[in-house]
């Protein structure tokens, strides 16, 4: 890496090995990190809008947090409390010199964290990320989504972001769609339909990039020409699962790929679970499409509920184990949704209402109440006299006869001598709850 020296000092360039770079970073941090700040005064941070000189304080904070992101596991609240109380710079120095440590950390765990710290090289991570078109977004940056602060001490140390749009702006109007990896055709159809419908309404679809529901949701949003974000449980330069490499690459080109872990890091079961809290916090609400009782998608929905976000579920067949977890969620405080309009009504702004749900309007629905009662008084089959029909309708014979002639002109009934009967096309619709003739 090339560095411009501070004013009044040597400006020569040097080529250092990876170990040399790590040692240099440790020496600077041991001296209080002053050299890091002075060097970063002259460093340029190239962004989408062009090159501009970076605030040295923010640059130093970014480097410290990139170091800590390599050391701490996602969601470590003990570590997060330490960073909040001591600051990122003091936390880095504590890890490097072995002095100050977080409260509640055992000797064994502290030794493990220090071993990771010995191998951390934040400047290399940041340089590799820049070369791959990846940026590191930290709390306090203009692009940092403030809603992630709701996670308290469990918020990410920072987020590695791949893609051009602003994460903060996209997160303001986003919905999570999550669910089973081994989903059914019904689950894939519903996820894709919801993803497309939300994208068409201007919502950003956030999911985890996994097989099944996640992938269907991303594809639905992309097919509609909309916005989508994949939150990964590994380095954003390492698409996972491998079978979704093409999909995740396309998301990075049209949307955003986000993760807490530094470049090159691989996923683990615990990282998948902890990743879900970021999906829940980043969005206004979480929709679960198919989930068994032990599904990680339910973890996302429950995290959303704890954070005061909407939790929603798409019902499925009661005979399907893949819908059992969703149904259990719906028995609590989660809301049942069946399409994108209902999701948008829940999480959207005032006035984003779903259309009223109504069955088809039948011709008899348009009759006035008096005519409707006379029509209902006719038997399902056979003839009936005017007096009998009047008794059934609770009216006079004269009124019933007038109503019958009105109904005949509308094609509902016909007259045979002194009797009246339903026309053939009305027998089933009017008396569909009775046994036929």
């Amino acid at each position: 890496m090339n560095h411009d020296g501070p004013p009044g000092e040597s400006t020569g360039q040097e080529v250092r090995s990876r170990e040399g770079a790590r040692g240099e970073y440790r020496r600077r941090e041991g001296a209080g990190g002053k050299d890091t700040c002075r060097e970063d005064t002259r460093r340029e941070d190239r962004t989408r809008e062009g090159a501009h000189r970076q605030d040295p304080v923010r640059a130093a904070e970014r480097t410290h947090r990139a170091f800590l992101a390599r050391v701490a596991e996602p969601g470590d609240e003990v570590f997060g409390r330490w960073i909040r109380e001591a600051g990122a710079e003091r936390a880095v120095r504590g890890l490097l010199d072995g002095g100050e440590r977080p409260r509640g950390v055992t000797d064994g765990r502290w030794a493990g964290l220090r071993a990771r710290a010995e191998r951390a090289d934040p400047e290399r991570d940041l340089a590799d990320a820049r070369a791959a078109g990846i940026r590191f977004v930290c709390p306090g940056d203009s692009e940092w989504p403030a809603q992630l602060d709701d996670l308290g001490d469990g918020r990410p140390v920072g987020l590695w972001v791949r893609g051009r749009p602003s994460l903060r702006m996209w997160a303001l109007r986003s919905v999570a769609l999550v669910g089973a990896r081994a989903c059914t055709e019904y689950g894939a159809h519903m996820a894709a339909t919801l993803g497309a419908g939300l994208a068409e309404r201007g919502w950003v679809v956030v999911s985890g990039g996994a097989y099944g529901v996640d992938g269907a949701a991303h594809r639905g949003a992309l097919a509609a020409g909309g916005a989508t974000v994949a939150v990964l449980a590994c380095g954003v330069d390492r698409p996972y699962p491998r079978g979704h490499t093409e999909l995740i690459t396309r998301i990075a080109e049209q949307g955003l790929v986000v993760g807490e872990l530094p470049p090159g890091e691989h996923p683990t079961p615990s990282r998948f679970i902890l990743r879900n809290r970021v999906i829940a916090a980043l969005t206004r609400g979480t929709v679960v499409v198919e989930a068994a009782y032990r599904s990680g998608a339910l973890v996302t929905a429950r995290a959303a509920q704890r954070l005061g976000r909407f939790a929603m579920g798409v019902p499925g067949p009661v005979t399907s184990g893949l819908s059992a977890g969703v149904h259990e969620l719906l028995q609590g405080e989660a809301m049942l949704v069946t399409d994108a309009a209902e999701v948008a009504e829940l999480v959207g702004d005032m006035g984003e209402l779903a259309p009223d749900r109504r069955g088809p309007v039948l011709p008899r629905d348009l009759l006035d109440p008096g005519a409707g009662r006379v029509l209902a008084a006719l038997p399902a089959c056979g003839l009936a006299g005017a007096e009998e029909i009047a008794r059934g309708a609770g009216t006079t014979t004269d009124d019933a006869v007038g109503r019958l002639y009105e109904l005949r002109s509308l094609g509902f009934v016909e007259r045979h001598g002194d009797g009246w009967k339903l026309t053939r096309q009305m027998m089933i619709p009017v008396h569909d709850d009775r046994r036929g003739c």
Side-chain angles (χ1 to χ4, degrees):
M1 269 173 64
N2 295 333
H3 293 273
D4 295 331
E9 297 183 12
S10 171
T11 59
Q13 297 179 337
E14 60 178 352
V15 179
R16 299 176 298 178
S17 66
R18 181 181 300 185
E19 289 300 321
R22 285 198 292 266
E24 180 69 16
Y25 181 76
R26 288 195 293 271
R27 285 193 295 275
R28 287 199 306 271
E29 291 311 307
K34 295 180 181 178
D35 288 344
T36 303
C37 294
R38 288 201 302 269
E39 286 183 5
D40 283 333
T41 302
R42 301 291 301 276
R43 186 176 298 158
E44 292 183 346
D45 182 27
R46 297 190 176 274
T47 64
R48 297 183 298 277
E49 292 76 20
H52 67 277
R53 200 172 301 277
Q54 194 177 33
D55 176 359
V57 176
R58 293 302 307 156
E61 177 77 3
R62 190 180 319 282
T63 305
H64 297 324
R65 284 183 172 272
F67 179 97
L68 297 170
R70 181 64 75 177
V71 175
E73 278 295 308
D76 187 333
E77 294 190 1
V78 172
F79 208 91
R81 185 182 66 240
W82 188 34
I83 296 172
R84 174 174 55 81
E85 293 175 348
E89 182 179 356
R90 282 178 59 188
V92 169
R93 289 207 305 270
L95 285 162
L96 291 175
D97 61 26
E100 183 179 3
R101 70 162 75 178
R103 288 181 286 113
V105 173
T106 63
D107 291 341
R109 187 179 174 206
W110 181 240
L113 290 171
R114 291 206 64 205
R116 283 191 175 187
E118 285 295 314
R119 299 177 60 84
D121 186 353
E123 292 181 339
R124 184 179 183 87
D125 283 341
L126 291 169
D128 290 346
R130 281 193 296 270
I134 298 166
R135 58 192 180 277
F136 187 54
V137 179
C138 302
D141 288 348
S142 60
E143 195 182 351
W144 179 258
Q147 58 266 46
L148 291 178
D149 298 340
D150 293 346
L151 291 169
D153 291 335
R155 77 175 179 179
V157 173
L159 289 175
W160 304 86
V161 181
R162 181 180 166 200
R164 294 179 61 84
S166 166
L167 176 61
R168 183 181 69 84
M169 295 302 295
W170 274 29
L172 291 175
R173 189 175 167 84
S174 63
V175 178
L177 292 181
V178 297
R181 286 179 172 82
C183 67
T184 65
E185 289 185 11
Y186 164 77
H189 169 77
M190 288 303 301
T193 302
L194 285 167
L198 287 166
E200 288 170 352
R201 287 167 171 78
W203 288 89
V204 177
V205 174
V206 179
S207 197
Y211 291 130
V213 166
D214 288 15
H218 289 306
R219 290 189 180 95
L222 291 170
T228 188
V229 177
V231 182
L232 304 186
C234 56
V236 296
D237 62 331
R238 177 174 292 188
Y240 187 90
R242 293 292 180 87
H244 273 181
T245 297
E246 183 177 347
L247 173 62
I248 292 173
T249 300
R250 186 181 172 197
I251 294 171
E253 292 171 351
Q254 294 184 220
L256 291 170
V257 178
V258 178
E260 293 180 76
L261 291 156
E265 284 293 316
H266 62 277
T268 64
S270 63
R271 288 173 172 179
F272 280 118
I273 295 298
L274 290 164
R275 177 272 311 272
N276 293 343
R277 84 195 193 288
V278 176
I279 295 177
L282 199 62
T283 55
R284 288 197 191 181
T286 295
V287 182
V288 183
V289 184
E290 287 196 326
Y293 283 122
R294 289 175 54 85
S295 172
L298 299 179
V299 175
T300 311
R302 288 167 183 146
Q305 289 176 316
R306 288 194 300 272
L307 292 166
R309 314 296 199 256
F310 288 98
M312 295 156 277
V314 177
V318 296
T319 54
S320 172
L322 283 174
S323 289
V326 180
H327 295 159
E328 182 183 50
L329 191 69
L330 291 172
Q331 288 174 343
E333 296 181 0
M335 302 296 292
L336 185 152
V337 292
T338 60
D339 61 20
E342 292 177 348
V343 176
E345 179 176 0
L346 279 174
V347 302
D349 299 321
M350 186 177 297
E352 293 189 60
L353 301 177
D356 292 337
R357 308 300 181 186
R358 303 183 66 178
V361 178
L362 301 176
R364 68 173 182 265
D365 297 332
L366 304 177
L367 295 172
D368 69 61
R373 287 193 294 271
V374 169
L375 181 63
L378 271 79
C381 56
L383 295 172
E387 292 183 359
E388 179 184 350
I389 294 170
R391 285 195 300 271
T395 188
T396 66
T397 302
D398 288 343
D399 180 60
V401 169
R403 298 290 189 182
L404 287 166
Y405 277 108
E406 177 187 346
L407 291 168
R408 187 178 72 169
S409 68
L410 295 172
F412 288 97
V413 301
E414 54 191 33
R415 182 179 178 182
H416 293 272
D418 292 333
W420 296 83
K421 65 179 295 186
L422 295 170
T423 56
R424 185 175 184 84
Q425 63 267 31
M426 287 302 300
M427 286 183 181
I428 295 176
V430 174
H431 298 280
D432 53 7
D433 59 339
R434 304 182 191 177
R435 187 174 298 175
C437 298

